[in-house]
Amino acid sequence: MNRLAHAETLHAEDSTREPGRDLVTVAVSLFNYAAFLPACLDSVAAQQHQSLDLIVVDDASDRDDSAEVARAWLKENAGRFCRSILLRHGRNQGLAQARNTAFVQARTEAVFVIDADNMIYPRAISRLKHALDETGAAAAYTQLEFFGSERRLGYADVWN
């Protein structure tokens, strides 16, 4: 059973208004990544694509203050997003369920998933959205690039 211990909407536009076709949801899965989360969220806020919803799903982090870091960041940056939500699972359910929780809460067809220990380039979402719009494809995804102590392109295989 999927249970949420806590759901908090930190900023929302008028709920009676339909989201625009250009709106994209960014879903951030979080589990004990408080140290990485601000850089991840900063990279989301820096997107050239302006029309964004943000959903952070904390999958019952228990070794750090991930949820508090997320809450503080979202509160400070809520104005950047059409809607920003922090959801918290009552018990750890794994990455797939964290993403599924975000999919259920998204109000857009286009949902970009990112883990809290990753970052994205400023034009990533605009390029992915353009690819979807131009091709009619059901999905588009990025190439991984390792950074930090190891700098190289990641796995180029088809995403499964």
Side-chain angles (χ1 to χ4, degrees):
M1 176 184 344
N2 180 18
R3 296 189 329 197
L4 291 174
H6 182 73
E8 182 175 350
T9 302
L10 297 162
H11 179 262
E13 64 182 20
D14 181 359
S15 61
T16 62
R17 205 172 96 200
E18 286 295 313
R21 178 166 154 41
D22 204 36
L23 185 64
V24 173
T25 298
V26 177
V28 179
S29 37
L30 172 63
F31 181 66
N32 294 324
Y33 278 144
F36 301 104
L37 183 62
C40 172
L41 295 177
D42 286 346
S43 77
V44 173
Q47 290 302 294
Q48 292 172 356
H49 190 87
Q50 290 301 302
S51 187
L52 297 174
D53 277 358
L54 176 61
I55 300 174
V56 177
V57 180
D58 177 39
D59 193 26
S61 294
D62 58 359
R63 292 190 297 267
D64 66 16
D65 59 345
S66 288
E68 289 307 314
V69 170
R71 181 178 288 110
W73 191 96
L74 289 170
K75 189 173 186 180
E76 183 177 325
N77 295 279
R80 162 62 179 94
F81 302 97
C82 297
R83 180 177 71 150
S84 56
I85 302 172
L86 172 61
L87 303 169
R88 298 181 66 201
H89 286 163
R91 62 179 174 78
N92 182 262
Q93 298 177 55
L95 179 59
Q97 188 57 48
R99 288 179 177 171
N100 286 339
T101 296
F103 291 147
V104 167
Q105 294 297 316
R107 59 186 183 158
T108 62
E109 281 190 37
V111 179
F112 179 84
V113 296
I114 184 170
D115 299 331
D117 63 335
N118 297 157
M119 298 185 315
I120 53 176
Y121 286 115
R123 63 186 190 156
I125 292 176
S126 61
R127 292 188 71 186
L128 290 166
K129 180 72 167 99
H130 178 77
L132 291 175
D133 291 345
E134 289 296 310
T135 66
Y141 60 95
T142 62
Q143 170 63 280
L144 292 174
E145 178 182 344
F146 291 93
F147 60 94
S149 63
E150 184 178 1
R151 294 201 55 98
R152 65 178 174 87
L153 283 181
Y155 314 107
D157 203 359
V158 174
W159 188 44
N160 183 348

